[in-house]
Amino acid sequence: MSAISIGQAAVLGVVEGVTEFLPVSSTGHLKITEGLMNIPVDDTSVVGFTAVIQVGAIAAVLLYFFKDIVRIVSAWGRGLVDKNERHHHDYKFAWWVVYATIPIVVVGLAAKKLVEGPLGSLWVVAASLIVGSGVMWAADQMGRHKRGEEDTTFKDAMLVGSAQILALLFPGFSRSGATMSTALVLDLDRVAATRLSFFLGIPALTGAGLYELKDAVGAGVGAVPLAVGTAVSFVVAYASIAWLLKFVAKHSFNAFVIYRVVIGVTLLGLLATGVLNA
C-alpha cells in the first residue's frame, strides 16, 4: 500500500498550494498536517512526496509569470549570442537567478541527512515559525520600500537567494518569509520583494522536487497519490499567487506575522500535551 492515500494526497496538495508562496512556511504546515493525519513526517517517502508536490506549485508560478519568464529567457538567449544585448537588465537577471541558486543547492546536498533528521522535528518547526515571525516583522518595519523590481541588483539576488538556506535548515522559517524579509531589508518594495521571491524559488524548488522523485516513488508513495497531490497543489497555488500579489500591493506583512505566531504557539501546545508527536 502507498504510504499516503489519495485523499491524504489531495489534502496535502491543498496545504502545499495555499502555503508555498505565502510567508507562513509550507514545510511547517505540511508537517503539521501530516502529523494530524498520523503520517510519519520523517519517513523517506513522505519527505520525498512533499518535495515532489512542490513542482505543482512551481508549475503555477511558471504559468502565472509566463510572459515575464519568456521575456527574461529571450533576453538571456540573445545575450549569449550577441554581446551588445548583455547590458539589458533581463539578461543580467537571468544569470543572477542561476548564481543565486548555487548556495541553496550546495547546502541542500551537504545537509540532506540533517534536514531530514533532527531538523525535521516539529519542535524545530514551531520555534522557527515564531522566530521567523519576529524577523519578518522587523524587516517590514526596517525596510523603506523605495526600490522596485527594475532596481534589483546582483547583490540583492545573491542575498535573497542565500536566504533560502534558512528555510532549508529550519523548517517553519519559510522560504518565502526568509526571501521576502531579506528583500525588504534591502529596501525593495513589497511587490518587488514578493516577485523576486517567486523567481528565485523556481529553480530551487523544481530541482528539489525532481531530486526527491525517486525516493517518493521508490520508498512507498504510489504514482496516483503523487499525481493527485501535484495537480491539486498546482490549481490552489495559482489562486494563492494571484491573491498574494494583490494583497501585498496594499497591505503590510503584519497579518502573516500574527498568523505565524498563533500557529507556532498552537503547535507547541499540541506537542507539549502529546496530541502531536514531534
Side-chain angles (χ1 to χ4, degrees):
M1 293 181 62
S2 171
I4 296 176
S5 70
I6 294 176
Q8 291 172 328
V11 172
L12 293 173
V14 171
V15 174
E16 164 64 22
V18 171
T19 61
E20 180 58 59
F21 299 109
L22 301 186
V24 296
S25 175
S26 61
T27 301
H29 280 74
L30 285 168
K31 285 183 177 294
I32 293 171
T33 305
E34 289 163 358
L36 291 173
M37 293 193 295
N38 294 317
I39 298 173
V41 298
D42 58 348
D43 184 275
T44 302
S45 64
V46 175
V47 173
F49 174 87
T50 58
V52 172
I53 63 173
Q54 288 177 338
V55 176
I58 290 300
V61 173
L62 293 174
L63 180 61
Y64 193 90
F65 293 107
F66 182 73
K67 291 183 179 179
D68 295 295
I69 293 171
V70 169
R71 188 192 73 243
I72 293 169
V73 172
S74 297
W76 179 74
R78 291 194 302 271
L80 289 178
V81 298
D82 184 356
K83 65 179 181 181
N84 294 322
E85 296 287 331
R86 297 174 187 173
H87 67 280
H88 290 297
H89 186 270
D90 286 339
Y91 170 78
K92 297 176 182 177
F93 184 76
W95 278 116
W96 297 346
V97 170
V98 174
Y99 297 144
T101 303
I102 294 174
I104 186 70
V105 172
V106 172
V107 175
L109 293 175
K112 187 175 187 294
K113 291 184 178 180
L114 186 62
V115 171
E116 294 178 354
L119 293 179
S121 167
L122 288 179
W123 288 107
V124 175
V125 171
S128 299
L129 276 166
I130 296 171
V131 172
S133 300
V135 172
M136 183 181 297
W137 179 84
D140 205 13
Q141 299 301 310
M142 292 169 56
R144 291 177 287 179
H145 316 292
K146 66 177 184 177
R147 300 170 58 212
E149 188 174 353
E150 67 281 358
D151 299 316
T152 55
T153 65
F154 174 67
K155 176 184 176 182
D156 296 330
M158 290 302 297
L159 290 175
V160 174
S162 297
Q164 295 178 112
I165 295 173
L166 282 173
L168 173 69
L169 297 179
F170 304 104
F173 202 97
S174 167
R175 190 202 65 82
S176 294
T179 53
M180 290 178 191
S181 296
T182 303
L184 290 173
V185 171
L186 295 170
D187 293 330
L188 290 175
D189 63 46
R190 295 187 182 97
V191 173
T194 302
R195 284 173 60 88
L196 182 58
S197 174
F198 285 148
F199 287 125
L200 290 175
I202 292 173
L205 294 177
T206 301
L210 295 176
Y211 181 79
E212 296 286 357
L213 181 60
K214 64 182 187 304
D215 289 335
V217 176
V221 175
V224 175
L226 267 177
V228 170
T230 303
V232 171
S233 73
F234 167 76
V235 174
V236 177
Y238 190 91
S240 180
I241 292 167
W243 176 84
L244 179 61
L245 286 171
K246 292 180 180 178
F247 180 86
V248 298
K250 298 180 180 180
H251 302 85
S252 71
F253 285 102
N254 288 343
F256 297 117
V257 170
I258 295 171
Y259 174 79
R260 288 170 58 102
V261 172
V262 171
I263 292 298
V265 171
T266 300
L267 179 55
L268 287 176
L270 292 173
L271 290 170
T273 55
V275 175
L276 282 181
N277 189 316

